[in-house]
Structure formats: C-alpha cells, structure tokens
Amino acid sequence: MTDEVHIHTHGRIGHISLNRPKALHALTLDMCRAMSKALSEWADDDGIEAVILDHAEGRGFCAGGDINLLRHSALNDDGRSGREFFYDEYQLNHQMFSYGKPIVAFMDGITMGGGVGIALPCKYRVATEHTRFAMPETGIGLFPDVGGGWHLSRLGGRLGQFLALTGARLDGAECQFAGLSTHYLPAEKLEEAKARIIDNPARIGGILSELSVTLPEARIEANCDRINKHFASDRFEDILASLEADDSDWAAKELATLRSKSPQTCKVALRQLADSAQLDSFADNMAMEYRIASRVLTRPDFAEGVRAVIVDKTNDPKWDPAAPEGVSDELIDSIFAPLPAGEEWQPLA
C-alpha cells in the first residue's frame, strides 16, 4: 500500500483520501492501484455501505495524472510505462462508474484531468467555493481522457466541446449549474457533512441537500448562447471561423485561447466527443480513449506541450502539425483505429 493515498474505514463507510499535497494530489500508478484494490474489497464487504473520496491537506482535490511519468515514457520507453498507467487508471475510472455502492467525491479545490476522471463517475459530487474544474489537455497535446468523452459529450448544449477545446476553468457554482456536481456546499460544512454521512450512510443525499446553500451566480450561464453558437460544429476550422467573424471581446479572447492549443488535440477532442455521444456504455468509451491515449502519448505534441507548459514553463509550444489544416483526417483516423489483438483495453475482471 502506498502512503500517497490514505485508505481506511469508519464504521460502515470506506474512506479514500488522496495524499500527495506537493503535487496537488496528482494520481500515480500506485495510487490508482491502491484505490482500485480498496474498492474491490469494499464491494464484497457487506459491512461497507458507501465510500467517501476526498484529499488530505492542501489545495486538492486532484490536479490530474502523473504527467512527469507520461513524458518520461514518451521520451524514453516508446510509451510503454505510460500505456500501463493509462490502462490501470482507466480501469479505476470504469470501476468507479459502475460501482455498486454510492461514492461521495468532495471536489474541494483543484479538480483537473485525472481528478475529473475520479470525481465524475461518483454518484454524489460536492463542489465548494474552492472548486476549480478543468480539462486542460489541449494545452499539453494530450486529450480530455479519463472518461472525458463520455461526461463532456453529455452536458447541455455545446458546453462540453467548449470545455474540451479551451480548457476553461469552472468554479464551484459553474460546476453545479452545468451538472458536473450534484451539490454545492460551503467548504466549512464539509467536515460536518462527512461526520453525518459516517453516522448515517443511508441518508447521504438528504444530508448533502440539508447542508447545501443558495448557488452564487454561475458566470458561464451568461455565455451559454455564445458557446452554443460558436462551438456548434464538430469541425475545428468551423469553430475558429465562427469566432473570427464575431468582433466581440469574448470571441477574440476565446479565439486567442484556441490558437494557443494543439490543433491535433482539438481535432481529436471534437471527434472523441462526437463518437462518445453515440456509444451505449462507459466501457466502450474507455476502450476508445485508450486507443487514443496509446497513440497521442508518443506523438510530438505531448512531449513538447509538457516541456513548454510544465517543465520549462515558457508557454511557447511548437505544435506539429502547427495549423489545423495540417491535421489530416487520415491522421485522426489512425489515432482512433482499433489496436492489435491482445492490446485493447478491458475493464477489471
């Protein structure tokens, strides 16, 4: 068991608390495996009725996955260890999505990438004034994975496409407005919520509702019509053209944001969300995302994006291809193509 995640029980409640504060609780392979093992054991334990998922000290909740491991893998082992990480992480995402007992995720703080992947499958998702939710993968040449295709494609209007492309950060009120969280609580009420849930696991929904407060203004609500208009197409060039034709400050800001992102990732994300919306099961979505992940991991944009944004912090990635027109349909098709026999992703047995 790793000390990067605290796993224990309180009476009838299983408790998983992420514990990598210096990395904003970003997930490692050991953390994913420890969480999966605990969930498997509790699934078969009649004495456990529900699970609490939160973070230990610091500005959690979870800032994503182990980006340094993934970049090292892309540069040094042809993606082998990175694929192993994705495989197990996606098994955890699916295990949580299909879990037979309610899980309560306390998204109190930064909830990005891999953090989204472990929060959104939960039956109860609690946002607070500290919540900062984002899928920022277009900025590092990856893609909005960990179930992002499934979750984002099922939001209202074109909000999911907007979040996938721009990496926009939502606060807790915006998460509640968008349906990404189920409850909005003040952070000061979380300890009371957890204590009451531990005392009475059968009343989780009621307890969270009783402690919820009136939602502050959700800023994103005022922009929904613009988002639905400009992000209507599943073709990246159409979205850019639509924003270019609008002389508003908002459109100029979003256009500048999109111009800074990996064109390959933007095209992958639009295809991913369109395809996922047609899928019948979360497992099918994860199999699709594993195909994508196993390929974009070793494409030029990922190592370059992580260098520019995370390693050197110069924020000057040189994307390859550099322009949307250079990302061919054939390249996108090859990223989504089935993997060789024996290499496809499978859920936990």
Side-chain angles (χ1 to χ4, degrees), residues 1 25 120 129 132 162 263 275:
M1 198 60 79
H25 311 289
L120 291 192
E129 70 273 20
R132 293 294 177 271
F162 171 77
D275 285 4

Side-chain angles (χ1 to χ4, degrees), residues 80-335:
R80 184 191 55 77
S81 53
R83 288 190 295 273
E84 180 183 29
F85 174 78
F86 284 132
Y87 198 97
D88 286 34
E89 184 187 24
Y90 294 3
Q91 284 190 327
L92 173 64
N93 300 145
H94 177 265
Q95 181 182 19
M96 296 177 74
F97 187 90
S98 54
Y99 204 60
K101 300 176 182 184
I103 307 176
V104 193
F106 288 93
M107 301 155 52
D108 181 39
I110 293 170
T111 305
M112 297 186 185
V116 172
I118 56 172
L120 291 192
C122 299
K123 180 174 182 181
Y124 301 103
R125 306 178 298 280
V126 179
T128 73
E129 70 273 20
H130 298 148
T131 301
R132 293 294 177 271
F133 176 104
M135 291 298 275
E137 290 79 10
T138 52
I140 57 167
L142 199 54
F143 72 109
D145 66 332
V146 292
W150 181 274
H151 303 302
L152 296 178
S153 66
R154 286 159 175 80
L155 297 179
R158 298 292 287 185
L159 183 57
Q161 286 76 9
F162 171 77
L163 294 174
L165 292 177
T166 64
R169 297 186 178 195
L170 302 187
D171 63 25
E174 291 173 307
C175 285
Q176 188 67 16
F177 164 76
L180 292 160
S181 59
T182 60
H183 296 81
Y184 182 87
L185 271 64
E188 65 186 28
K189 291 287 187 185
L190 296 189
E191 291 313 309
E192 179 184 347
K194 293 171 194 176
R196 288 177 61 182
I197 288 168
I198 289 165
D199 283 344
N200 196 346
R203 279 206 69 242
I204 296 172
I207 291 164
L208 294 176
S209 293
E210 287 161 18
L211 295 174
S212 293
V213 292
T214 304
L215 200 62
E217 180 188 3
R219 292 168 306 167
I220 195 89
E221 185 174 3
N223 291 324
C224 280
D225 287 346
R226 290 169 170 168
I227 289 169
N228 290 339
K229 174 187 173 186
H230 291 301
F231 288 77
S233 177
D234 286 328
R235 197 170 163 272
F236 188 43
E237 290 89 342
D238 293 346
I239 292 171
L240 296 173
S242 182
L243 290 167
E244 281 172 351
D246 183 334
D247 60 5
S248 71
D249 289 345
W250 182 88
K253 173 174 159 287
E254 299 306 334
L255 182 62
T257 296
L258 293 183
R259 291 271 185 229
S260 72
K261 306 300 185 184
S262 158
Q264 169 195 289
T265 304
C266 290
K267 289 200 173 188
V268 165
L270 286 168
R271 163 84 176 264
Q272 174 197 358
L273 267 61
D275 285 4
S276 183
Q278 307 302 317
L279 296 177
D280 294 326
S281 79
F282 191 68
D284 288 345
N285 177 83
M286 298 317 295
M288 171 184 74
E289 292 189 6
Y290 183 74
R291 292 171 178 174
I292 304 170
S294 67
R295 294 185 172 111
V296 300
L297 177 64
T298 53
R299 297 256 330 139
D301 276 6
F302 175 60
E304 170 62 6
V306 176
R307 177 205 66 76
V309 175
I310 296 170
V311 179
D312 298 342
K313 295 183 166 56
T314 51
N315 291 307
D316 61 347
K318 305 291 186 284
W319 302 123
D320 178 16
E325 299 75 31
V327 183
S328 68
D329 292 343
E330 290 76 19
L331 171 58
I332 298 300
D333 286 344
S334 72
I335 289 171

Side-chain angles (χ1 to χ4, degrees), residues 66-76 297 302-308 311-312:
D66 193 346
I67 291 294
N68 287 324
L69 167 127
L70 295 174
R71 181 171 190 262
H72 182 271
S73 175
L75 294 174
N76 297 300
L297 177 64
F302 175 60
E304 170 62 6
V306 176
R307 177 205 66 76
V311 179
D312 298 342

